[in-house]
Amino acid sequence: MEDSGSVIATASLIVALAALGIATWQAFVSRDSARLSLRPIIEISAYSHGIPGIYISNVGHGPAFIHSIHFDSEKLTLELCGNAHYEKLTDLLRPAHTAVRFNAKIPEKNSVIAAGQEIPLFALDATDNIDAVAAHFKTVFATCRISVKYSCLYRKSYETEYKQTRSAA
């Protein structure tokens, strides 16, 4: 009879250890799922609602902490955070002999873009000739590269890029 008692005890110990292993595995899977559900996803676009400009939007489910924004073109390479290089970039984006006002909000380093929020990095605010400005923007954006480095709540880092090359047509 003692043998059957030790077999039952051993079997119950094995079942308990298996349950502990499954519960631990389930906790890790659940934790990873929670992290992924709060991941920010930054998109960079050249137009929003038909208005030309450079727009950064967070289409993910969690906040994005901006670390740096880089702008590279044939004429100019800048690190944008705050308004340090605002004038250089507006000079590049402003077509000659056109009165243009920009709506700009360059995020500071470590600023937050909330889920669902769109920030106009540089957007056309007012002009007399929107078609000429849109054509100029298209020319500039055809050869530029814009990258954003950001992280999520869990300090995991990501980078997204806007790069458009001119077609061979």
Side-chain angles (χ1 to χ4, degrees):
M1 288 297 228
E2 286 183 33
D3 288 337
S4 66
S6 72
V7 169
I8 292 173
T10 304
S12 62
L13 179 65
I14 291 172
V15 168
L17 289 175
L20 178 65
I22 290 171
T24 304
W25 172 77
Q26 185 179 13
F28 280 111
V29 168
S30 177
R31 182 175 170 228
D32 287 344
S33 176
R35 283 185 173 193
L36 288 175
S37 70
L38 290 176
R39 181 177 184 253
I41 300 171
I42 295 291
E43 288 185 350
I44 304 169
S45 59
Y47 288 89
S48 178
H49 309 291
I51 300 171
I54 303 170
Y55 297 87
I56 298 176
S57 55
N58 182 356
V59 297
H61 294 288
F65 299 92
I66 304 298
H67 298 292
S68 66
I69 301 170
H70 292 276
F71 179 89
D72 295 318
S73 74
E74 295 171 345
K75 298 179 181 179
L76 194 60
T77 298
L78 299 173
E79 180 173 346
L80 303 172
C81 267
N83 290 322
H85 299 290
Y86 175 77
E87 291 298 323
K88 290 180 183 177
L89 192 53
T90 55
D91 288 344
L92 177 68
L93 294 175
R94 182 178 291 117
H97 312 296
T98 305
V100 176
R101 284 197 324 255
F102 291 103
N103 176 13
K105 183 178 180 182
I106 300 176
E108 297 289 333
K109 190 171 186 164
N110 296 323
S111 62
V112 177
I113 299 178
Q117 184 180 11
E118 178 180 74
I119 294 177
L121 201 58
F122 281 92
L124 188 62
D125 191 23
T127 185
D128 296 332
N129 189 352
I130 194 165
D131 293 332
V133 175
H136 180 71
F137 275 21
K138 188 175 182 180
T139 303
V140 171
F141 294 148
T143 58
C144 77
R145 177 185 169 271
I146 303 164
S147 65
V148 177
K149 291 183 181 177
Y150 62 100
S151 63
C152 66
L153 284 172
Y154 297 102
R155 292 182 169 67
K156 185 170 182 179
S157 295
Y158 303 98
E159 183 173 3
T160 190
E161 182 177 296
Y162 172 84
K163 184 179 180 185
Q164 189 176 28
T165 56
R166 218 172 263 185
S167 62

